[in-house]
Every structure is written in C-alpha cells, then in structure tokens.
Amino acid sequence: MHDETTPDPAWALETLAIRAGHQRTHEQEHGEPIFPTSSFVYGSAAEAARKFGGEERGNVYSRFTNPTVHTFERRLAALEGGERCVATSSGMAAILSTVLALLQAGDEIVASRSLFGSTVSLFDKYFGKLGITTRYVELSDLAAWESAITPNTRLLFAETPSNPLSEVVDIAALAEIAHRHAALLAIDNCFLTPALQKPLALGADLVIHSATKYLDGQGRAVGGAVVGRDKELEEVFGVVRTCGPCLSPFNAWIFTKGLETLSLRMRAHCENAQALAEWLQAHPAVARVHYSGLPDHPQHELAGRQQGGFGAVLGFEVKGGREAAWSVIDATRMLSITGNLGDVKSTITHPATTTHGRLSPAQKDAAGIGEGLIRVAVGLESIEDIRLDLARGLDALI
C-alpha cells in the first residue's frame, strides 16, 4: 500500500500539491476524506490517558487535532519545504498565533510599512497593549531594516510583494540581517504562494499564509497557516491548542483540494496580470502602474531572481484622485467590487477606503496609498473581457 504521508523527495511541487499529506484510512479512499467531528473516542481509559498526556500519538479534540486539518498542514508544509505547518482560522489568526507564541512583553518587531491594514492594526493596537512594540521601515530599504533593530528585536515581518504596490524585498539579505541580530524572519507569502516563491529556501524562518487567498483560489473559505521549523511551530501549535483559533475540517478540506490546481492557476494568473499591467501602462488615463513584472518597476530584476512569477495583484493610479478612481470602479460590470483577492474571479477595490481605510492619513502616505490608487487582483477570465470592463471607466476619464 502506498503511504502518501511522507512524500518522495524527488517529487515536483505539482506532484506534492496533489499527493502529499494524505494518510489513507482503513476504507482505502482515493479522495481525501472530511472528518467533521468535534471529538474522538478511545478503547479504554488508559488509551485516553496516553493520548491526552502525549504518550501516544492520536487525535484528542478537533480544536487542535483533526485528520482533515493535518492533511492540509502536511501538504502545505511539503510545498513550502518546511518541517511543520500549523493551520489557523484565518490569515490574521496565523499572525496573531505566531506573535503570541514567540514574543513577550518588552520584545520588539520590525515590520514593513507596506503591510495589510489589519496587520498594522494588530501590531499597533493589540500587541501594543501587551507591551510589544513595532517599528516600521521601507520594505526594500535593507539599511533601514538594520538601523531599526535593537537588542530587544525578536521578529522581522514583511509581505513581499507588498499589497497593493508590488514592492519587493531581498529575502535572503533580510534573513541574514535578522539572524545576525538573533531575530526571526517571517514572510507573508499569500500573494505568491509556494508555486512562485519559497521564503524558507531563501533563509526565512516562518512563512505566513492567508489560505483564504490563492491556496483556495475560488473564494470559498477563510483560513490561515504558519509554516517553518518544528521548534517554533510547536509553540504556535500551543497557542492554537489553548486559545482556539483553529481551522475547521471542512475549510481544511477545501484548501487541500485547492492546492491540487495551485501551480496551474498561478501561472494563468501571472499571464493575465502581465498583459493587463502592460495595457494599463499604455492607457492615457493611468498615471502609474505598480507591478513588479514591468521592466520599470524598481525591484523588477530582484523579483525576477527571487520569484517564479510576478503574481496576480497590481495597483494603478488614475489621474483625478478619489472621484476618478471611484468612477472607474463603479463603471465595471464584470469585475467584483470587493476587498478580497486570490479568486478565479477578478476583483477591484479602492485601497485608501477599504483594505487600508483604518490607517491614519500619515500611515497611508508612508505606505504609498493614494486616493487615486486602484487595486486589481487579476482573475482567470478572458484578458480581453477584463480589459474591456476596465476600459469603460478609464476611457471616460480621457
């Protein structure tokens, strides 16, 4: 009988995404099963005691041990090249669990200014209450990262590429800086996924995912994950076990099935996004396009070396500020007006009033979130239909 729990080291990512992590039951099922159960039963009181005490492997309670969730965790760990993965109820829960597990009062975080708005709120408002201080720097400025580190710095945190300006940082160089100062480096990889970027192979210690995005790929469920070494992940698991931000079995099953088509989808997303970015760059109503696949992007060469593709998310600035940006968004008939991304359906949003709306004006300025900025997460529809839908509003601005 084949044991697919331990993947063959020679398997390619596409194979791992389909085969890794599934431990067949006595039913010999071909598809991955769902275990929608809150608890598990034992043959005796002694067996229950051994499993609750950790003396014997086995399931205890679905808040922290569930076979369907474990399948997703093993598969994603295999794709990222990590020793272990811990799944969570959302991407934000993954960040929360990581910081609660590894930092304490008096510790410091150095983070990129170009973070998702909710991540900034989590760091400043909630971790700040716990005595954890965060300093923000320009994502691509390695000297700024170095100068912001103090003896109390325990974690460096970055999204690369950034949302929504597609800024990129040199992960290997940033990892060297972090480790020289005895700090950990966490990279939010939800924009590229392991199909296009493997931060652990570049020296990062932790990879954060909002599985809600491209790991699912069809906008069906909310979830998150942390991948890394067993040493740090055992602490993260402890937070999930005790505090309860766990992933449901059904959502874990959705994400597991989503991984099967991850490589195919990401290649198609990149192809559409590149074509759209080039078209937008030539449009007279567009002042600037932010996409690392364009040759004039400041980190284009770095992105080409570090990434296996440029991703599906791009930002573009229209002339005329908020009024013009809203008119372009409102003129669309096909693109979905929503703050989410990572879907086969293209989505469009105004970051300054949605995803980054809770940031202060100063924070928006520092992060480059202007009133004329529009973000598009390019889906898998016909690229011609996507261009025609945006042209309705953009042509009206000329």
CSV table of all heavy atoms in Angstrom, one decimal, residues 324-370:
chain,number,residue,atom,x,y,z
A,324,ALA,N,-12.1,60.1,-9.5
A,324,ALA,CA,-11.8,59.4,-10.7
A,324,ALA,C,-11.7,57.9,-10.5
A,324,ALA,O,-12.2,57.1,-11.2
A,324,ALA,CB,-10.6,59.9,-11.4
A,325,ALA,N,-11.0,57.5,-9.4
A,325,ALA,CA,-10.9,56.1,-9.0
A,325,ALA,C,-12.2,55.4,-8.8
A,325,ALA,O,-12.5,54.3,-9.3
A,325,ALA,CB,-10.0,56.0,-7.8
A,326,TRP,N,-13.1,56.1,-8.1
A,326,TRP,CA,-14.4,55.5,-7.8
A,326,TRP,C,-15.2,55.4,-9.1
A,326,TRP,O,-16.0,54.4,-9.3
A,326,TRP,CB,-15.1,56.4,-6.8
A,326,TRP,CG,-14.7,56.1,-5.3
A,326,TRP,CD1,-13.6,55.5,-4.9
A,326,TRP,CD2,-15.4,56.5,-4.2
A,326,TRP,NE1,-13.6,55.4,-3.6
A,326,TRP,CE2,-14.7,56.0,-3.1
A,326,TRP,CE3,-16.6,57.2,-3.9
A,326,TRP,CZ2,-15.1,56.2,-1.7
A,326,TRP,CZ3,-17.0,57.4,-2.6
A,326,TRP,CH2,-16.3,56.9,-1.5
A,327,SER,N,-15.1,56.3,-10.0
A,327,SER,CA,-15.8,56.3,-11.2
A,327,SER,C,-15.4,55.1,-12.1
A,327,SER,O,-16.2,54.4,-12.7
A,327,SER,CB,-15.7,57.6,-12.0
A,327,SER,OG,-14.4,57.7,-12.6
A,328,VAL,N,-14.1,54.8,-12.1
A,328,VAL,CA,-13.6,53.6,-12.8
A,328,VAL,C,-14.1,52.4,-12.2
A,328,VAL,O,-14.6,51.4,-12.9
A,328,VAL,CB,-12.0,53.6,-12.8
A,328,VAL,CG1,-11.5,52.3,-13.4
A,328,VAL,CG2,-11.5,54.8,-13.6
A,329,ILE,N,-14.1,52.3,-10.9
A,329,ILE,CA,-14.6,51.1,-10.2
A,329,ILE,C,-16.1,50.9,-10.4
A,329,ILE,O,-16.5,49.8,-10.8
A,329,ILE,CB,-14.3,51.2,-8.7
A,329,ILE,CG1,-12.8,51.1,-8.4
A,329,ILE,CG2,-15.0,50.1,-7.9
A,329,ILE,CD1,-12.4,51.5,-7.0
A,330,ASP,N,-16.8,52.0,-10.3
A,330,ASP,CA,-18.3,51.9,-10.5
A,330,ASP,C,-18.7,51.6,-11.9
A,330,ASP,O,-19.8,51.1,-12.1
A,330,ASP,CB,-19.0,53.2,-10.0
A,330,ASP,CG,-18.9,53.4,-8.5
A,330,ASP,OD1,-18.5,52.4,-7.8
A,330,ASP,OD2,-19.1,54.5,-8.0
A,331,ALA,N,-17.8,51.9,-12.9
A,331,ALA,CA,-18.2,51.6,-14.3
A,331,ALA,C,-18.0,50.1,-14.7
A,331,ALA,O,-18.5,49.7,-15.7
A,331,ALA,CB,-17.3,52.5,-15.2
A,332,THR,N,-17.4,49.4,-13.8
A,332,THR,CA,-17.2,47.9,-14.2
A,332,THR,C,-18.5,47.2,-14.1
A,332,THR,O,-19.3,47.5,-13.2
A,332,THR,CB,-16.1,47.3,-13.3
A,332,THR,OG1,-16.6,47.4,-11.9
A,332,THR,CG2,-14.8,47.9,-13.4
A,333,ARG,N,-18.6,46.2,-14.9
A,333,ARG,CA,-19.8,45.4,-14.9
A,333,ARG,C,-19.5,43.9,-14.6
A,333,ARG,O,-20.4,43.2,-14.1
A,333,ARG,CB,-20.6,45.4,-16.3
A,333,ARG,CG,-21.0,46.8,-16.6
A,333,ARG,CD,-21.7,46.8,-18.0
A,333,ARG,NE,-22.0,48.2,-18.5
A,333,ARG,CZ,-22.4,48.4,-19.7
A,333,ARG,NH1,-22.5,47.5,-20.6
A,333,ARG,NH2,-22.6,49.7,-20.1
A,334,MET,N,-18.3,43.5,-14.8
A,334,MET,CA,-17.9,42.1,-14.6
A,334,MET,C,-17.0,42.0,-13.4
A,334,MET,O,-17.2,41.1,-12.5
A,334,MET,CB,-17.1,41.6,-15.8
A,334,MET,CG,-16.7,40.1,-15.7
A,334,MET,SD,-15.6,39.5,-17.0
A,334,MET,CE,-14.1,40.4,-16.6
A,335,LEU,N,-16.0,42.8,-13.2
A,335,LEU,CA,-15.1,42.7,-12.1
A,335,LEU,C,-15.9,42.9,-10.8
A,335,LEU,O,-16.8,43.7,-10.7
A,335,LEU,CB,-14.0,43.8,-12.1
A,335,LEU,CG,-12.7,43.4,-12.9
A,335,LEU,CD1,-13.0,43.3,-14.4
A,335,LEU,CD2,-11.6,44.5,-12.7
A,336,SER,N,-15.5,42.1,-9.8
A,336,SER,CA,-16.2,42.1,-8.5
A,336,SER,C,-15.6,43.2,-7.6
A,336,SER,O,-14.4,43.2,-7.4
A,336,SER,CB,-16.1,40.8,-7.8
A,336,SER,OG,-16.6,39.7,-8.6
A,337,ILE,N,-16.5,44.1,-7.1
A,337,ILE,CA,-16.0,45.2,-6.2
A,337,ILE,C,-16.0,44.6,-4.8
A,337,ILE,O,-17.0,44.5,-4.1
A,337,ILE,CB,-17.0,46.4,-6.3
A,337,ILE,CG1,-17.1,46.9,-7.7
A,337,ILE,CG2,-16.4,47.5,-5.4
A,337,ILE,CD1,-18.1,48.0,-7.9
A,338,THR,N,-14.8,44.2,-4.4
A,338,THR,CA,-14.6,43.5,-3.1
A,338,THR,C,-13.2,43.7,-2.7
A,338,THR,O,-12.3,43.8,-3.5
A,338,THR,CB,-15.0,42.1,-3.2
A,338,THR,OG1,-14.7,41.5,-1.9
A,338,THR,CG2,-14.2,41.3,-4.2
A,339,GLY,N,-13.0,43.7,-1.4
A,339,GLY,CA,-11.6,43.8,-0.8
A,339,GLY,C,-10.8,42.5,-0.9
A,339,GLY,O,-9.6,42.5,-0.6
A,340,ASN,N,-11.5,41.4,-1.2
A,340,ASN,CA,-10.8,40.1,-1.2
A,340,ASN,C,-10.0,40.0,-2.5
A,340,ASN,O,-10.2,40.7,-3.4
A,340,ASN,CB,-11.8,39.0,-1.0
A,340,ASN,CG,-11.1,37.7,-0.6
A,340,ASN,OD1,-10.1,37.7,0.1
A,340,ASN,ND2,-11.6,36.6,-1.1
A,341,LEU,N,-9.1,39.0,-2.5
A,341,LEU,CA,-8.3,38.7,-3.7
A,341,LEU,C,-8.0,37.2,-3.6
A,341,LEU,O,-8.4,36.5,-2.7
A,341,LEU,CB,-7.0,39.5,-3.7
A,341,LEU,CG,-6.1,39.4,-2.5
A,341,LEU,CD1,-5.0,38.3,-2.7
A,341,LEU,CD2,-5.5,40.7,-2.2
A,342,GLY,N,-7.3,36.7,-4.7
A,342,GLY,CA,-6.9,35.3,-4.7
A,342,GLY,C,-8.0,34.4,-5.4
A,342,GLY,O,-7.9,33.2,-5.2
A,343,ASP,N,-8.9,35.0,-6.0
A,343,ASP,CA,-10.0,34.3,-6.6
A,343,ASP,C,-9.8,34.1,-8.1
A,343,ASP,O,-9.1,34.9,-8.8
A,343,ASP,CB,-11.3,35.1,-6.4
A,343,ASP,CG,-12.6,34.3,-6.4
A,343,ASP,OD1,-12.8,33.6,-7.3
A,343,ASP,OD2,-13.4,34.4,-5.4
A,344,VAL,N,-10.5,33.1,-8.7
A,344,VAL,CA,-10.5,33.0,-10.1
A,344,VAL,C,-11.3,34.1,-10.8
A,344,VAL,O,-11.1,34.5,-11.9
A,344,VAL,CB,-11.2,31.7,-10.6
A,344,VAL,CG1,-10.3,30.5,-10.2
A,344,VAL,CG2,-12.6,31.5,-10.0
A,345,LYS,N,-12.2,34.8,-10.0
A,345,LYS,CA,-12.9,36.0,-10.4
A,345,LYS,C,-12.0,37.2,-10.1
A,345,LYS,O,-11.5,37.4,-9.0
A,345,LYS,CB,-14.2,36.1,-9.7
A,345,LYS,CG,-15.2,35.0,-9.9
A,345,LYS,CD,-16.5,35.2,-9.1
A,345,LYS,CE,-17.4,34.1,-9.3
A,345,LYS,NZ,-17.0,32.9,-8.5
A,346,SER,N,-11.8,38.1,-11.1
A,346,SER,CA,-11.1,39.3,-10.9
A,346,SER,C,-11.8,40.2,-9.9
A,346,SER,O,-13.1,40.3,-10.0
A,346,SER,CB,-10.9,40.1,-12.2
A,346,SER,OG,-10.1,39.3,-13.1
A,347,THR,N,-11.1,40.9,-9.0
A,347,THR,CA,-11.7,41.8,-8.1
A,347,THR,C,-11.0,43.1,-8.2
A,347,THR,O,-9.8,43.3,-8.6
A,347,THR,CB,-11.5,41.2,-6.6
A,347,THR,OG1,-10.1,41.2,-6.3
A,347,THR,CG2,-12.1,39.8,-6.5
A,348,ILE,N,-11.8,44.2,-7.8
A,348,ILE,CA,-11.3,45.5,-7.8
A,348,ILE,C,-11.7,46.3,-6.6
A,348,ILE,O,-12.8,46.0,-6.0
A,348,ILE,CB,-11.8,46.2,-9.1
A,348,ILE,CG1,-11.2,47.6,-9.3
A,348,ILE,CG2,-13.3,46.3,-9.1
A,348,ILE,CD1,-11.4,48.2,-10.7
A,349,THR,N,-10.8,47.1,-6.1
A,349,THR,CA,-11.1,47.8,-4.8
A,349,THR,C,-10.3,49.1,-4.8
A,349,THR,O,-9.3,49.3,-5.5
A,349,THR,CB,-10.8,47.0,-3.6
A,349,THR,OG1,-11.5,47.6,-2.4
A,349,THR,CG2,-9.3,46.9,-3.3
A,350,HIS,N,-10.7,50.0,-3.9
A,350,HIS,CA,-10.1,51.3,-3.7
A,350,HIS,C,-9.4,51.2,-2.3
A,350,HIS,O,-10.0,51.4,-1.3
A,350,HIS,CB,-11.1,52.4,-3.7
A,350,HIS,CG,-10.5,53.8,-3.5
A,350,HIS,ND1,-10.7,54.6,-2.4
A,350,HIS,CD2,-9.7,54.5,-4.3
A,350,HIS,CE1,-10.1,55.7,-2.5
A,350,HIS,NE2,-9.5,55.7,-3.7
A,351,PRO,N,-8.1,50.9,-2.3
A,351,PRO,CA,-7.4,50.6,-1.0
A,351,PRO,C,-7.5,51.6,0.1
A,351,PRO,O,-7.7,51.3,1.2
A,351,PRO,CB,-6.0,50.4,-1.4
A,351,PRO,CG,-6.0,49.9,-2.8
A,351,PRO,CD,-7.2,50.7,-3.4
A,352,ALA,N,-7.5,52.9,-0.3
A,352,ALA,CA,-7.5,54.0,0.7
A,352,ALA,C,-8.8,54.0,1.5
A,352,ALA,O,-8.7,54.5,2.6
A,352,ALA,CB,-7.3,55.3,0.0
A,353,THR,N,-9.9,53.5,1.0
A,353,THR,CA,-11.1,53.5,1.7
A,353,THR,C,-11.6,52.1,2.1
A,353,THR,O,-12.7,52.0,2.6
A,353,THR,CB,-12.2,54.2,0.9
A,353,THR,OG1,-12.3,53.7,-0.4
A,353,THR,CG2,-11.9,55.7,0.8
A,354,THR,N,-10.9,51.1,1.7
A,354,THR,CA,-11.3,49.7,2.1
A,354,THR,C,-10.2,49.0,2.8
A,354,THR,O,-10.1,49.0,4.1
A,354,THR,CB,-11.7,48.9,0.8
A,354,THR,OG1,-10.6,48.9,-0.1
A,354,THR,CG2,-12.9,49.6,0.1
A,355,THR,N,-9.3,48.3,2.1
A,355,THR,CA,-8.3,47.4,2.8
A,355,THR,C,-7.4,48.2,3.7
A,355,THR,O,-6.9,47.7,4.7
A,355,THR,CB,-7.5,46.7,1.7
A,355,THR,OG1,-6.9,47.6,0.8
A,355,THR,CG2,-8.4,45.7,0.9
A,356,HIS,N,-7.1,49.4,3.4
A,356,HIS,CA,-6.2,50.3,4.2
A,356,HIS,C,-7.0,51.5,4.8
A,356,HIS,O,-6.4,52.5,5.2
A,356,HIS,CB,-5.0,50.8,3.3
A,356,HIS,CG,-4.1,49.7,2.9
A,356,HIS,ND1,-4.5,48.7,1.9
A,356,HIS,CD2,-2.9,49.3,3.2
A,356,HIS,CE1,-3.5,47.9,1.7
A,356,HIS,NE2,-2.5,48.2,2.5
A,357,GLY,N,-8.3,51.4,4.8
A,357,GLY,CA,-9.1,52.5,5.3
A,357,GLY,C,-8.9,52.9,6.7
A,357,GLY,O,-9.2,54.0,7.1
A,358,ARG,N,-8.5,51.9,7.6
A,358,ARG,CA,-8.4,52.2,9.0
A,358,ARG,C,-7.0,52.9,9.3
A,358,ARG,O,-6.8,53.3,10.5
A,358,ARG,CB,-8.5,50.9,9.8
A,358,ARG,CG,-10.0,50.4,9.8
A,358,ARG,CD,-10.1,49.2,10.7
A,358,ARG,NE,-11.5,48.7,10.7
A,358,ARG,CZ,-12.5,49.1,11.5
A,358,ARG,NH1,-12.2,50.1,12.4
A,358,ARG,NH2,-13.7,48.6,11.4
A,359,LEU,N,-6.1,53.0,8.4
A,359,LEU,CA,-4.9,53.6,8.6
A,359,LEU,C,-5.1,55.1,8.7
A,359,LEU,O,-5.9,55.7,8.0
A,359,LEU,CB,-3.9,53.3,7.5
A,359,LEU,CG,-3.5,51.8,7.3
A,359,LEU,CD1,-2.5,51.7,6.2
A,359,LEU,CD2,-3.0,51.2,8.6
A,360,SER,N,-4.2,55.8,9.4
A,360,SER,CA,-4.2,57.2,9.5
A,360,SER,C,-3.7,57.8,8.2
A,360,SER,O,-3.1,57.2,7.4
A,360,SER,CB,-3.4,57.7,10.7
A,360,SER,OG,-2.0,57.5,10.4
A,361,PRO,N,-4.1,59.1,7.9
A,361,PRO,CA,-3.5,59.7,6.7
A,361,PRO,C,-2.0,59.6,6.6
A,361,PRO,O,-1.5,59.4,5.5
A,361,PRO,CB,-4.0,61.2,6.8
A,361,PRO,CG,-5.3,61.1,7.6
A,361,PRO,CD,-5.0,60.0,8.6
A,362,ALA,N,-1.3,59.8,7.7
A,362,ALA,CA,0.1,59.7,7.7
A,362,ALA,C,0.6,58.3,7.4
A,362,ALA,O,1.6,58.1,6.6
A,362,ALA,CB,0.7,60.1,9.1
A,363,GLN,N,-0.1,57.3,7.9
A,363,GLN,CA,0.3,55.9,7.6
A,363,GLN,C,0.0,55.6,6.1
A,363,GLN,O,0.8,54.9,5.5
A,363,GLN,CB,-0.5,55.0,8.5
A,363,GLN,CG,-0.1,54.9,9.9
A,363,GLN,CD,-1.0,54.1,10.8
A,363,GLN,OE1,-2.2,54.1,10.7
A,363,GLN,NE2,-0.4,53.3,11.7
A,364,LYS,N,-1.1,56.1,5.6
A,364,LYS,CA,-1.4,55.9,4.2
A,364,LYS,C,-0.3,56.5,3.3
A,364,LYS,O,0.2,55.9,2.3
A,364,LYS,CB,-2.8,56.5,3.8
A,364,LYS,CG,-3.9,55.7,4.4
A,364,LYS,CD,-5.2,56.4,4.0
A,364,LYS,CE,-6.4,55.7,4.7
A,364,LYS,NZ,-7.7,56.4,4.5
A,365,ASP,N,0.1,57.8,3.7
A,365,ASP,CA,1.1,58.4,2.9
A,365,ASP,C,2.4,57.7,2.9
A,365,ASP,O,3.1,57.5,1.9
A,365,ASP,CB,1.3,59.9,3.4
A,365,ASP,CG,0.2,60.8,3.1
A,365,ASP,OD1,-0.6,60.5,2.2
A,365,ASP,OD2,0.1,61.9,3.7
A,366,ALA,N,2.8,57.2,4.1
A,366,ALA,CA,4.0,56.4,4.2
A,366,ALA,C,4.0,55.1,3.4
A,366,ALA,O,5.0,54.7,2.9
A,366,ALA,CB,4.3,56.1,5.7
A,367,ALA,N,2.8,54.5,3.4
A,367,ALA,CA,2.7,53.3,2.6
A,367,ALA,C,2.4,53.5,1.1
A,367,ALA,O,2.3,52.5,0.4
A,367,ALA,CB,1.6,52.4,3.2
A,368,GLY,N,2.3,54.7,0.7
A,368,GLY,CA,2.0,55.0,-0.7
A,368,GLY,C,0.6,54.7,-1.2
A,368,GLY,O,0.4,54.5,-2.4
A,369,ILE,N,-0.3,54.8,-0.2
A,369,ILE,CA,-1.7,54.5,-0.5
A,369,ILE,C,-2.4,55.8,-0.8
A,369,ILE,O,-3.0,56.5,0.1
A,369,ILE,CB,-2.5,53.8,0.6
A,369,ILE,CG1,-1.7,52.5,1.0
A,369,ILE,CG2,-3.9,53.4,0.2
A,369,ILE,CD1,-1.5,51.5,-0.1
A,370,GLY,N,-2.4,56.2,-2.1
A,370,GLY,CA,-3.1,57.5,-2.5
A,370,GLY,C,-4.5,57.3,-2.9
A,370,GLY,O,-5.0,56.2,-3.0
